[in-house]
Amino acid sequence: MHHYLGYFTPSHGQLAGLGAVLLVSVALVAIGALAGGRKRIYETDLIVGWALVSLAFVLAGGLLRVDFVAVSVGILAVAIAAAIYIGARDRGRWPSDVLRAVALALPAIWLAACMALSQWDEFTQWMPNARYIYTHDGFPGDGMPPTVSVFPAYPHGLAFIIYLGSRIAGHLVENASGIFSVILLAMFGVTVGRVVRKAMTRRDPNRAVPLGLNAVQPAHLGWVYCAIGGIAVTILNPTFVPKIVFTAYADTATAVLVGMLVVLIWTLLNTLSGEESEFSANHLAWRFGFVAMALIAVKQVNLVILLIILVAAATVVARDSAIPARAFLKALPALALMPLAMYLLWRFHLQHNGVSGEFAFAAPADWLIDDLGVIVQRMLLIASKKGGYFGVMLIATAFAVRALWRLETPFDRLSLIVGLVFVGYTFFLLFAYVTAFTQGEAVRAASYWRYNMHLGGASVAFGAFGIALLWRRWITNRMRRNLGWIAILLALAGPFASAGKIRFDLRPAKLYVRATAEEIASLLPQDARTVLLDLGGNGDFGVIARYSISRTAGFAGEMTAASQPTEENIRRYIAATDPSHIWIHFVTPEARRALGLPLAAGASHLVRKTTDGWSVVKSWPYPGYENPYVLAD
């Protein structure tokens, strides 16, 4: 029981970080609400505010080189003014469904607040980017200190959340992205709840409009629909992977934003066809534009997804006689101007400030055309092991093909949008493997499953609408009891039931490496040049060591099992890197002979170069295990 309670026990710093991220979220909601009228899609306020704040950082901090502290003060002033104005304008009208969704997500939010960094990309790019702007109050570039990030030119949308939360908390809030990702999922849960309610309140299918959605609906979703949306985006979501959601990775944010965009553009098309009237077409178009701006600010590849969504929407308009093409063209500026502005401003910032380091295409001569067949086979193999998500998307694609010939209902429109997005993104990923990845990564379709999580929100929206239609047709009339309480119970109980699986960060070896690396960072002089001998590992521990040690001293590299660490190879590596200090994480006989030290097993050791060779600075025994590589995951 004590061990279980530890899953939900944050440190004082983590508790302060949680409060800071919640305050940042409230500020974003206030700013986002300012950009909408009284009747708006409340769950998008957070994302609209996030998009505008990201724009402020890129414009003021990137192009004008304004100190990030000054930018933050300006954002705070706008947020306070917005909150006062919105309170007066809306006359005490609270976004009750948003508050319900957050209340249902509180156990997951609290759990996210208790977690620590543990995953590869967190240490190589996402957190180094965030830590840099927190440390230097500005972007890397000309005239600024160097960065240790692998991809410093990646968009910083999530880094801005970490920065603002860290400024409030007074320390770097490393788990801010995980907390914010859960809050984003809660907002998307409201959107999915709307989608489900549309299906459950549709007109009679025998009427002139087979699946019209213009039925009279209550002003609020209520607890049940919010809970249904909540479990749809978590427990029932085939792309809900804790090792992605509860981390600094940008994949969950991308999935939420893509899902939001698909629902918004679908709702817009339904509105233009006359089948919906809850929100105006102008409001939907501008909300789409702001959410799309946030999407561009999060991840480099997201521009491609946005373009595919717009092409899919244009295809629906071309095939659906009920939608006036002129009305859609009139909405295009609102749909595209904001994300285009974000993209161009970020590109100009990178060029203007001399920032490089992002994923790039190879020269045509280096494209892996000959490996195309192997790559496709690998993609199919991976897809065959993830039947939940790919099954839903294949169903959507099948209905999309039918909709190309007969498009009559909102379900047809949603199928065509989701199906085209899935097919388009799949072909883009195949193109990327051939033209941008190394051969080793391409032939194993590296991260293909994780990249498909970017469409997880679209998959959930389609699946939720389709299942709700089937439920209304086959189940509702046969049920005699209200089982809505089950959805509420599942939404609240999910994090408690799966806490052991979610707390993947509590791996003894990773905790040991992080804690030891932080202590080593405090021991090293600023001019130190350190290397890691992780002679039985694959690099997992090396990225942790680099992240921790590089904040105070130089980190020159690591040697892993892949380098064939014989005594001679170890000597050659040390001679090539010329370190002042070496951290031997795992002692081998070859390491002892190469360093000329009787290093004890069952511990790691920091050694420094002296005039007589190497001497031990400090040793750290393993906490209850002998082989760190067995316990690494």
Side-chain angles (χ1 to χ4, degrees):
M1 185 63 179
H2 178 75
H3 181 70
Y4 179 81
L5 291 177
Y7 294 152
F8 294 90
T9 305
S11 67
H12 294 298
Q14 288 175 327
L15 200 57
L18 171 60
V21 175
L22 291 177
L23 285 175
V24 170
S25 299
V26 171
L28 297 181
V29 168
I31 294 172
L34 188 65
R38 290 184 181 179
K39 187 176 182 181
R40 63 186 185 276
I41 307 174
Y42 286 107
E43 66 268 24
T44 61
D45 286 345
L46 175 71
I47 298 172
V48 172
W50 181 22
L52 290 171
V53 164
S54 298
L55 182 66
F57 273 111
V58 174
L59 182 59
L63 273 64
L64 303 179
R65 287 296 186 99
V66 177
D67 186 90
F68 275 16
V69 173
V71 177
S72 302
V73 171
I75 290 170
L76 175 63
V78 171
I80 293 173
I84 295 171
Y85 174 78
I86 296 302
R89 185 193 69 182
D90 294 355
R91 298 175 183 177
R93 288 183 59 186
W94 291 90
S96 55
D97 289 328
V98 169
L99 296 176
R100 290 187 183 99
V102 172
L104 292 169
L106 277 178
I109 293 172
W110 185 270
L111 193 58
C114 299
M115 299 184 68
L117 300 184
S118 64
Q119 302 304 296
W120 187 294
D121 287 358
E122 290 185 288
F123 293 108
T124 58
Q125 66 210 43
W126 300 117
M127 279 310 303
N129 287 344
R131 187 176 68 183
Y132 186 94
I133 64 174
Y134 174 70
T135 303
H136 303 289
D137 291 310
F139 290 117
D142 295 337
M144 295 291 287
T147 175
V148 298
S149 172
V150 175
F151 295 118
Y154 266 17
H156 279 47
L158 281 172
F160 299 143
I161 302 299
I162 300 171
Y163 176 85
L164 291 172
S166 300
R167 279 281 161 255
I168 294 173
H171 65 271
L172 184 62
V173 183
E174 292 185 335
N175 58 359
S177 286
I179 299 170
F180 192 68
S181 292
V182 177
I183 296 173
L184 286 175
L185 283 170
M187 297 303 99
F188 187 50
V190 179
T191 297
V192 174
R194 291 183 188 276
V195 170
V196 172
R197 187 179 67 174
K198 288 178 182 182
M200 298 299 288
T201 57
R202 66 179 178 22
R203 291 176 181 172
D204 190 302
N206 293 321
R207 295 188 181 182
V209 182
L211 293 178
L213 306 174
N214 219 359
V216 176
Q217 299 178 357
H220 303 293
L221 293 178
W223 285 102
V224 172
Y225 278 118
C226 286
I228 290 173
I231 62 175
V233 301
T234 54
I235 299 172
L236 302 180
N237 180 358
T239 62
F240 183 84
V241 179
K243 284 191 175 183
I244 299 298
V245 174
F246 294 89
T247 67
Y249 283 32
D251 303 285
T252 298
T254 295
V256 167
L257 296 173
V258 169
M260 285 274 196
L261 290 175
V262 165
V263 173
L264 284 169
I265 199 71
W266 173 59
T267 306
L268 172 63
L269 297 179
N270 290 335
T271 301
L272 293 179
S273 73
E275 296 193 39
E276 286 196 56
S277 58
E278 186 177 4
F279 301 103
S280 70
N282 186 61
H283 175 72
L284 291 165
W286 280 108
R287 286 275 142 164
F288 180 97
F290 281 117
V291 175
M293 183 165 66
L295 182 74
I296 299 301
V298 167
K299 204 168 170 64
Q300 183 184 2
V301 72
N302 289 354
L303 175 66
V304 174
I305 303 177
L306 174 61
L307 293 175
I308 296 173
I309 292 173
L310 291 174
V311 170
T315 304
V316 172
V317 173
R319 297 299 306 154
D320 194 338
S321 59
I323 301 176
R326 180 175 296 180
F328 179 73
L329 291 175
K330 186 178 179 181
L332 269 181
L335 296 174
L337 283 179
M338 297 304 291
L340 179 61
M342 175 62 77
Y343 176 78
L344 293 177
L345 286 172
W346 182 254
R347 301 310 307 177
F348 186 74
H349 149 65
L350 297 180
Q351 182 178 11
H352 178 68
N353 295 313
V355 184
S356 60
E358 59 186 338
F359 208 67
F361 291 106
D366 296 324
W367 288 3
L368 306 174
I369 304 296
D370 294 339
D371 295 311
L372 183 61
V374 176
I375 297 170
V376 171
Q377 290 179 16
R378 183 63 181 176
M379 292 169 68
L380 290 173
L381 177 62
I382 294 171
S384 70
K385 298 178 180 179
K386 304 294 181 181
Y389 163 79
F390 285 100
V392 171
M393 292 310 237
L394 288 175
I395 292 171
T397 302
F399 279 105
V401 172
R402 190 191 70 166
L404 287 172
W405 276 267
R406 189 183 67 181
L407 201 161
E408 299 176 343
T409 69
F411 178 75
D412 293 333
R413 295 186 193 109
L414 184 59
S415 300
L416 189 52
I417 293 170
V418 175
L420 287 177
V421 169
F422 172 66
V423 171
Y425 194 48
T426 299
F427 276 103
F428 169 75
L429 290 177
L430 177 60
F431 176 75
Y433 283 129
V434 172
T435 61
F437 284 74
T438 66
Q439 185 177 40
E441 293 172 325
V443 295
R444 60 183 176 87
S447 299
Y448 179 61
W449 167 230
R450 181 161 67 86
Y451 296 148
N452 270 277
M453 293 177 192
H454 299 163
L455 307 187
S459 172
V460 167
F462 173 80
F465 189 65
I467 292 173
L469 291 176
L470 294 173
W471 185 277
R472 178 173 174 88
R473 179 172 182 178
W474 298 105
I475 305 297
T476 301
N477 295 332
R478 294 174 172 83
M479 293 187 65
R480 297 294 180 264
R481 294 183 179 181
N482 183 357
L483 300 180
W485 61 271
I486 296 179
I488 298 174
L489 180 63
L490 287 174
L492 290 171
F496 295 103
S498 55
K501 182 178 180 181
I502 292 174
R503 290 305 307 270
F504 52 82
D505 59 316
L506 296 177
R507 298 297 182 265
K510 287 188 176 181
L511 292 175
Y512 167 85
V513 168
R514 180 66 195 279
T516 305
E518 289 293 330
E519 185 175 351
I520 289 174
S522 67
L523 295 174
L524 293 172
Q526 289 187 352
D527 60 348
R529 180 178 171 83
T530 308
V531 300
L532 170 68
L533 297 185
D534 191 26
L535 304 180
N538 61 1
D540 279 355
F541 297 136
V543 297
I544 300 175
R546 176 185 294 273
Y547 174 79
S548 298
I549 293 174
S550 63
R551 68 179 175 84
T552 61
F555 189 87
E558 62 175 316
M559 187 176 196
T560 65
S563 302
Q564 299 180 354
T566 63
E567 178 183 349
E568 182 61 27
N569 285 344
I570 293 173
R571 291 181 184 275
R572 288 176 179 173
Y573 180 76
I574 294 173
T577 54
D578 189 26
S580 63
H581 293 74
I582 300 175
W583 180 21
I584 306 95
H585 175 231
F586 185 70
V587 176
T588 64
E590 292 80 6
R592 292 190 185 98
R593 292 194 295 269
L595 295 171
L597 292 173
L599 302 173
S604 69
H605 311 269
L606 177 66
V607 302
R608 65 181 177 87
K609 183 186 292 185
T610 68
T611 55
D612 298 325
W614 297 95
S615 66
V616 176
V617 176
K618 188 172 181 178
S619 300
W620 293 267
Y622 296 147
Y625 58 82
E626 293 295 328
N627 190 332
Y629 310 113
V630 174
L631 300 172
D633 290 320

